[in-house]
């Protein structure tokens, strides 16, 4: 039975990954400091093949038992979190990735790091293929996240080239599903929370900026396919269906049957104008493509989460 270590395993994506790895018969060791994740995300897991440990990966950490796969998902991920924790975010991407890669090296495990479409910054190429090097502002407020992830990619490739570690890099595009936090500031949980309460839906700028939204089950399937390939260079995993933020707000209103109106707020600094993955590589290499379109994904999110969890505690 393979053993998988998942850093950030109590977070949104990490907990879904733990679920799927367990469903496929693996043993899972979940490492998390619960900074943005929570025990609630993993409390439903009832198997002795699952163990969690409260660890801050910024500090060196060790695991005594054999490990076959390391999924490195720990990092603040939503703008609200990384703008609140700028130094922590840089340290997770640097020290945290060093420590986790060191562990993969010691255990001769395959290492898969969760990178992001943010490595493309405000892209000048559209859609974004893996060969595009990006257009990132290193000194803007978002730079702490974008550059931490770019550094983590550089480090991953260096461990692979110099130390022979079996590594993979998944560039994740916006993903949504149950267990997103209602106040994490990302568009889908924010719009769902507002729509379910018939409150105004807050769209940044004029809402013409685009994003592509991948349902979490599709993403996790792609990540596991990548972990089973022998591929080392970055691979985009995301849904290439592209929507303006205004279209997203309208779709959320439609799916929830909400009476919300749409209001407009100032655009955040360095907010990318467009975002859409080129998934040719993932399709050719892994035979992967997303299956769940936006409306269906929103319906599943509503169903799996329940309204109470999507609204969250009152503020
Ligand atoms: P999340 O905030 O829900 O999960 C991150 C987890 O990492 C949390 O459980 C948090 O407590 C943990 N963590 C943070 N710092 C830590 C530390 N120092 N030590 C141990 N644990 C720590 O975010 P998410 O959306 O699940 O993102 C998971 C990963 O996927 C992140 O690396 C993120 O950058 C990447 N990603 C996510 C998306 C997305 O759309 N959700 C898009 C691109 C990339």
């Amino acid at each position: 039975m393979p053993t998988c270590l998942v850093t950030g395993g109590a977070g949104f994506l990490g907990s879904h990954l733990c679920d799927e790895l367990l469903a496929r018969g693996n043993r899972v060791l979940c490492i998390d400091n619960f900074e943005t994740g929570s025990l609630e995300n993993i409390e439903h897991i009832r198997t002795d093949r699952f163990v969690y440990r409260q660890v801050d990966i910024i500090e060196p950490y060790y695991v005594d038992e054999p490990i076959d796969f390391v999924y490195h998902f720990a990092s603040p991920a939503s703008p609200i979190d990384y703008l609140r924790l700028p130094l922590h975010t840089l340290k997770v991407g640097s020290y945290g990735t060093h420590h986790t890669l060191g562990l993969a090296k010691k255990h001769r495990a395959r290492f898969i790091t969760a990178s992001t479409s943010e490595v493309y910054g405000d892209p000048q190429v559209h859609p974004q293929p893996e060969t595009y090097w990006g257009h990132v502002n290193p000194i803007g407020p978002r730079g702490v996240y974008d550059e931490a992830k770019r550094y983590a990619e550089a480090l991953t490739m260096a461990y692979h080239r110099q130390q022979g570690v079996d590594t993979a890099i998944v560039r994740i595009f916006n993903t949504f599903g149950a267990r997103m936090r209602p106040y994490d500031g990302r568009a889908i949980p924010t719009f769902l929370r507002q729509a379910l309460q018939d409150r105004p839906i807050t769209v940044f700028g004029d809402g013409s900026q685009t994003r592509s939204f991948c349902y979490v089950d599709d993403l996790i399937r792609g990540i596991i396919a990548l972990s089973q390939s022998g591929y080392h260079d970055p691979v985009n995993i995301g849904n290439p269906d592209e929507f303006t933020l205004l279209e997203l707000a309208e779709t959320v209103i439609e799916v929830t049957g909400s009476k919300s109106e749409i209001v407009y707020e100032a655009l955040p600094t360095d907010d990318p104008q467009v975002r859409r993955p080129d998934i040719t590589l993932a399709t050719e290499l892994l035979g992967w493509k997303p299956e769940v379109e936006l409306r269906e994904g929103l319906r599943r999110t509503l169903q799996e989460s329940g309204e109470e969890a999507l609204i969250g505690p009152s503020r």
Side-chain angles (χ1 to χ4, degrees), residues 18-214:
C18 290
D19 284 343
E20 186 58 27
L21 291 169
L22 290 167
R24 291 175 184 234
N26 298 278
R27 228 182 138 254
V28 174
L29 174 54
C30 162
I31 298 286
D32 207 294
N33 71 348
F34 301 104
E35 177 65 56
T36 60
S38 71
L39 275 176
E40 275 169 40
N41 287 341
I42 50 175
E43 70 184 1
H44 61 279
I45 299 175
R46 301 260 177 277
T47 162
D48 56 10
R49 287 183 288 115
F50 180 77
V51 181
Y52 77 87
R53 279 191 214 155
Q54 184 160 4
V55 171
D56 189 330
I57 61 161
I58 286 173
E59 304 298 332
Y61 65 103
Y62 305 95
V63 176
D64 293 334
E65 60 196 289
I67 303 170
D68 303 285
F69 293 89
V70 174
Y71 293 87
H72 180 38
F73 275 58
S75 171
S78 83
I80 278 190
D81 294 325
Y82 61 72
L83 295 176
R84 176 174 61 88
L85 301 163
L87 288 173
H88 178 82
T89 304
L90 285 162
K91 287 179 189 169
V92 175
S94 52
Y95 303 132
T97 305
H98 260 296
H99 297 147
T100 310
L101 270 160
L103 209 75
K105 180 185 168 194
K106 181 170 164 236
H107 290 270
R108 297 178 187 277
R110 178 149 167 85
F111 174 91
I112 302 97
T113 195
S115 190
T116 170
S117 56
E118 302 296 335
V119 300
Y120 300 120
D122 188 9
Q124 312 293 297
V125 169
H126 193 64
Q128 295 83 58
E130 290 83 351
T131 46
Y132 176 51
W133 292 351
H135 181 246
V136 169
N137 174 3
I139 56 166
R142 299 174 72 109
V144 297
Y145 180 68
D146 304 1
E147 296 296 2
K149 290 290 183 180
R150 289 169 70 94
Y151 177 86
E153 287 199 5
L155 196 61
T156 300
M157 292 311 293
Y159 266 82
H160 171 61
R161 293 196 184 104
Q162 191 190 319
Q163 310 273 322
V165 179
D166 180 9
T167 61
I169 297 171
V170 54
R171 289 191 181 146
I172 301 170
F173 283 65
N174 290 28
T175 299
F176 71 101
R179 300 183 206 148
M180 296 190 85
R181 285 169 297 140
Y183 287 91
D184 86 355
R186 292 187 260 201
I188 288 190
T190 305
F191 290 0
L192 280 172
R193 169 172 55 77
Q194 293 167 332
L196 289 170
Q197 298 174 97
D198 291 328
R199 293 203 177 142
I201 296 202
T202 48
V203 168
F204 293 146
D206 63 3
S208 64
Q209 67 277 33
T210 69
R211 296 292 184 272
S212 307
F213 302 100
C214 186

Side-chain angles (χ1 to χ4, degrees), residues 176 188 192 251-252 255 294-302:
F176 71 101
I188 288 190
L192 280 172
T251 309
V252 167
V255 170
L294 179 64
R295 277 182 180 72
E296 174 60 17
L298 288 171
R299 277 185 215 109
R300 289 193 197 180
T301 305
L302 278 167

